[in-house]
Amino acid sequence: MAPSAMADAAPMQLPAYSKHSNKVNASVLHGPRDLRLEVRSIDEPGLGELQIAIKSTGICGSDVSYYKKFANGDLCACAPLSLGHESSGTVVAIGPQVSGFRVGDRVALEVGVPCGQCGICRKGRYNLCKRMRFRSSAKSVPHYQGTLQERINHPAIWCHKLPDHVSFEAAALLEPLSVAIHAVNRATPTPGSTALVIGAGTVGLLTAAMARQSGCTQVTITDVDAGRVEYALKKGFATHGFVVPQPSHTSSSNSSIYTNSGSSTPLDPGAMTPASFFSNSIHDQLEVAKSLAADILSLTKLPPGLQNDDEDEGVDVTFECTGKEACMHTSLYATRPGGKVIMVGMGTPIQTLPMSAAHLREVDILGIFRYANTYGTGVRLLSTQGRGGAGFTLPSLDDMVTHRFKGLGAAKHAFELASKTVDDNGNLVLKVVIEA
């Protein structure tokens, strides 16, 4: 069981409203660390909408970035914003022209709502829609409010029904699982492939698991946090783990590596940065990346008697889940000729890369942005968890929740903890969830 995390912190009391009230409580961000409890009005669900009572919301790295800076990368909030986009809940009201749902249905929310009309939407790549509205993101104005509210109205076509045995917490984690599914779909590994995952946060762990699910026989995960690597191996997300050494040095650079997997949240100034510790020269940074790649690959090197001199070293697919420049360097050097590097993590927007390492070795560099057409796959994967069958089984998503907070009044405490890697007792912080 994950700790409640609320034994020492008394959340603010919220007013109570009936489920039919037109008032809801909401957690609203007004500026850096300025999180307030407010009462908002809510309409009846409109045409094609469901009204959902939110039961569980996971805190993502992008949420933490908005909480700390009122911005995520180059997206700055210009108005109060409710955070939260990893969510699940129950249907409490049904709007006109909605079929296939009943009050009481349990659903996971796909919170990106595209226009559905443009060419890119018609091609099925709706995640790239220019008119996409994504809950808790400042990209669209007015901002599309997030799920840290008691109830929201949401298009029924982006609500996915859940089996009774799938928990609300696991259903909330369908959102980061979708990122992992999309990454592996873009990589198209073949059975027997080898993979490297850089960054062992939530997205990195789930990407490693999906690589194994797709038939990769060796999946190595790496991070500077030994606790996360150990967790990945213990729970079966990866077959091999490598802990990147952290030298006792601080740097003012924000280009730290192997942290905040799947997030666009840079580390605070003064964080340890292994690449910049060795040298600020790009040449020396690349040499460090080559050495690190060799060390990682040595974990899965065949015994001398089985090695083929004609076989190039490197993994078939590298999933870079941090968005850091130094990690991209390592990714390119760790991938075999003809392999693929999948850019999963959002981080440093402008990077200096050894492009010849990709160009001359035909290493494909593929980006991903969120996900498309993945929730059905995710629901099916959760539906079959723990039911036996041949092959790899996705590890428990419920076990990934390390800390739970009860109620919107505890949101500030939840965000403060989610910005750390260990709690006050030294326990691993992986996924923090706010429950209704």
Side-chain angles (χ1 to χ4, degrees), residues 224-241:
V224 292
D225 190 314
R228 292 189 173 195
V229 174
E230 291 168 5
Y231 177 90
L233 297 177
K234 179 180 178 182
K235 299 295 184 178
F237 288 89
T239 61
H240 298 77

Side-chain angles (χ1 to χ4, degrees), residues 88 189 408:
S88 61
L408 295 176

Side-chain angles (χ1 to χ4, degrees), residues 343-418:
M343 299 174 66
V344 182
M346 294 176 62
T348 311
I350 299 175
Q351 302 184 13
T352 300
L353 302 178
M355 293 307 298
S356 62
H359 184 188
L360 301 180
R361 298 163 62 244
E362 294 193 0
V363 172
D364 296 340
I365 301 175
L366 300 177
I368 74 154
F369 183 61
R370 296 179 182 148
Y371 41 81
N373 309 301
T374 54
Y375 264 73
T377 300
V379 171
R380 287 192 294 273
L381 287 170
L382 294 189
S383 298
T384 58
Q385 273 189 317
R387 296 194 173 187
F392 175 79
T393 300
L394 184 71
S396 169
L397 269 61
D398 293 281
D399 287 348
M400 297 182 73
V401 179
T402 55
H403 296 78
R404 296 172 172 87
F405 289 80
K406 189 72 173 177
L408 295 176
K412 186 174 181 65
H413 300 290
F415 276 97
E416 289 293 338
L417 182 61

Side-chain angles (χ1 to χ4, degrees), residues 110-170:
E110 186 171 353
V111 297
V113 179
C115 74
Q117 303 298 318
C118 66
I120 202 74
C121 283
R122 291 197 299 270
K123 291 177 182 177
R125 301 186 71 176
Y126 58 83
N127 57 312
L128 306 179
C129 174
K130 290 182 179 180
R131 287 178 280 179
M132 166 74 76
R133 294 183 304 140
F134 194 89
R135 289 191 182 274
S136 78
S137 171
K139 186 173 183 179
S140 58
V141 179
H143 303 328
Y144 197 24
Q145 298 298 306
T147 56
L148 284 176
Q149 307 178 68
E150 287 181 324
R151 287 176 283 131
I152 63 171
N153 293 327
H154 198 68
I157 61 171
W158 303 114
C159 297
H160 303 271
K161 288 201 282 191
L162 301 167
D164 289 340
H165 70 278
V166 174
S167 73
F168 285 118
E169 291 176 348

Side-chain angles (χ1 to χ4, degrees), residues 298-318:
S298 68
L299 281 177
T300 54
K301 200 168 186 178
L302 292 171
L306 298 178
Q307 291 178 18
N308 185 346
D309 292 337
D310 295 329
E311 189 71 26
D312 291 297
E313 289 189 351
V315 296
D316 296 301
V317 183
T318 297

Side-chain angles (χ1 to χ4, degrees), residues 67-122:
Y67 171 72
K68 293 168 73 173
K69 300 180 296 182
F70 209 43
N72 180 34
D74 58 358
L75 296 178
C76 299
C78 60
L81 178 65
S82 280
L83 299 175
H85 58 265
E86 301 177 358
S87 291
S88 61
T90 57
V91 175
V92 294
I94 300 174
Q97 296 187 24
V98 173
S99 60
F101 288 92
R102 297 182 299 177
V103 170
D105 280 346
R106 307 165 73 254
V107 295
L109 301 180
E110 186 171 353
V111 297
V113 179
C115 74
Q117 303 298 318
C118 66
I120 202 74
C121 283
R122 291 197 299 270

